Amino acid sequence: MAVALLEVRHLKKYFHTAEGVVRAVDDVSFTLDAGRTLGLVGESGSGKTTTAYMIAGIHQPTSGEVLFEGRNLAGPRSRELRRQIQMVFQDPGTSLNPTHSIKDILTLPLRVHGLARGPQLEARARELIEHVHLPASFLYKYPRELSEGEKQAVAIARAIAVNPKLIVLDEPTASLDVSMQAWILRLLLELQQEFGFAYLLITHDLSLMRNFATDVAIMYLGRIVETAPADAFFTRPRHPYTQMLISSIPVVTDEEEALKPAQVVSQGEIPSPVNPPSGCRFHTRCPRRFEPCDREEPVMLELEPGHCAACHLYSGGQAAPSQRDNP
């Protein structure tokens, strides 16, 4: 069996605060194969960005494993491993050094990893700026002279400079207007087709997933509740939380409306990760909860090839027939 590019096993990250222990990520597992895009989706506070930071090496896990091509990433990472996993942050205005020119920003990772020297540095910088469809004259500009979309394109050029295999995208279009969002997404898809990168896309925006991600994982309060190929995720969502998210996506045509599941209305807000509910963590908001939900944690079950959900509706519980899906 081929080894996955990225495998996350029972990953946890707890933060100790004055209010108590924040269980930001609490037993998360998933895989990502080379050349594919996994969208990790959830509301604010679900733990998706903390998960991304552990994969990128910004945070160290409390427990669990992050395996890259079968190698455990726990502890200090070699320069080669750090080169293979790059990250594009949400706000390019804060991720680019304002005192450095675009040329300096793009050549710094080449210097650090010993990938170019002397005249090669400027030649490689010109290649990178062309890859993101910006003119070579931008190499002599500073971040303050660029629009938000142009800054994000530079951040993407910096990420691909060291020829990584995995790029973590943390809400890469959240700070951009609609036209710039579309341009950045097209650019990312083009680069993936050309170079074969795998992407881990962190987002709360389901509407951009349909044509961007190949696979989707839904997080709620520190845990993954459903994983599926993107087409199955949008046409056959199984977990009530997933159904709630998809039913809330704005649409503009009757055809799009017909693809949405029946409206699922949740109650209240996401609970605190300092004191998560017992049993299924979504049961305090779920309109389909029944007897085992508040006391038994559901296990992740494969409902069809590649499509898994952690919900008592599919685990043999005695829900009323009107409450159950047809697994």
Side-chain angles (χ1 to χ4, degrees):
M1 174 182 279
V3 176
L5 178 70
L6 177 70
E7 183 176 4
V8 173
R9 297 178 180 173
H10 306 292
L11 197 62
K12 297 183 180 181
K13 181 62 179 179
Y14 296 169
F15 296 98
H16 294 270
T17 70
E19 290 75 26
V21 178
V22 177
R23 301 178 182 181
V25 177
D26 202 9
D27 200 3
V28 162
S29 299
F30 61 83
T31 61
L32 173 59
D33 291 327
R36 295 183 69 84
T37 299
L38 174 64
L40 191 57
V41 186
E43 296 173 278
S44 297
S46 63
K48 57 189 186 296
T49 296
T50 303
T51 300
Y53 280 12
M54 285 188 281
I55 292 168
I58 297 172
H59 292 326
Q60 286 296 310
T62 300
S63 64
E65 294 180 312
V66 177
L67 304 179
F68 185 79
E69 296 182 321
R71 294 171 289 178
N72 195 335
L73 299 185
R77 301 183 183 184
S78 67
R79 180 175 296 179
E80 174 63 18
L81 275 176
R82 286 186 280 116
R83 182 180 72 81
Q84 295 288 0
I85 303 176
Q86 295 295 306
M87 190 161 185
V88 175
F89 294 91
Q90 175 176 340
D91 184 359
T94 58
S95 67
L96 302 178
N97 190 325
T99 67
H100 287 186
S101 69
I102 304 306
K103 177 185 172 182
D104 292 336
I105 289 170
L106 296 183
T107 56
L108 179 60
L110 300 173
R111 296 175 187 273
V112 169
H113 292 280
L115 298 178
R117 68 175 72 181
Q120 297 173 333
L121 288 168
E122 181 163 355
R124 178 60 176 150
R126 287 178 176 272
E127 289 179 4
L128 291 167
I129 207 73
E130 290 171 2
H131 278 314
V132 297
H133 305 304
L134 295 177
S137 60
F138 274 44
L139 292 175
Y140 307 100
K141 293 178 178 286
Y142 288 81
R144 64 179 177 273
E145 301 176 82
L146 276 56
S147 70
E148 291 302 300
E150 291 165 345
K151 290 177 190 176
Q152 195 63 293
V154 170
I156 292 169
R158 179 179 59 184
I160 70 173
V162 294
N163 303 312
K165 293 182 179 179
L166 170 64
I167 299 179
V168 179
L169 304 169
D170 183 18
E171 303 267 15
T173 62
S175 64
L176 308 179
D177 62 37
V178 174
S179 62
M180 285 293 100
Q181 287 180 10
W183 177 57
I184 290 296
L185 291 175
R186 285 195 302 269
L187 174 62
L188 289 168
L189 288 171
E190 177 185 312
L191 293 170
Q192 186 179 49
Q193 291 169 0
E194 183 175 356
F195 298 106
F197 304 128
Y199 291 141
L200 176 63
L201 173 63
I202 309 302
T203 186
H204 66 277
D205 185 357
L206 285 171
S207 62
L208 66 80
M209 284 292 175
R210 194 183 301 272
N211 297 313
F212 189 79
T214 56
D215 306 278
V216 179
I218 302 297
M219 283 193 73
Y220 182 78
L221 206 59
R223 292 185 178 168
I224 290 179
V225 298
E226 185 166 1
T227 61
D231 57 347
F233 169 78
F234 283 101
T235 58
R236 299 183 300 281
R238 308 302 289 270
H239 196 283
Y241 178 60
T242 304
Q243 294 168 356
M244 181 199 78
L245 291 176
I246 295 178
S247 68
S248 66
I249 298 175
V251 296
V252 296
T253 67
D254 293 338
E255 289 79 6
E256 290 177 317
E257 185 65 36
L259 292 174
K260 293 169 59 175
Q263 183 73 27
V264 177
V265 180
S266 69
Q267 305 168 3
E269 299 179 353
I270 187 169
S272 169
V274 176
N275 186 28
S278 59
C280 173
R281 296 191 175 188
F282 187 57
H283 86 264
T284 58
R285 303 174 65 194
C286 182
R288 305 181 66 185
R289 64 185 181 273
F290 61 111
E291 192 272 333
C293 297
D294 64 350
R295 57 181 175 79
E296 297 178 14
E297 183 181 328
V299 297
M300 187 70 76
L301 299 174
E302 188 171 43
L303 307 179
E304 56 184 275
H307 193 160
C308 304
C311 181
H312 287 299
L313 291 171
Y314 310 108
S315 60
Q318 299 301 309
S322 61
Q323 290 179 292
R324 298 181 66 89
D325 280 348
N326 294 316

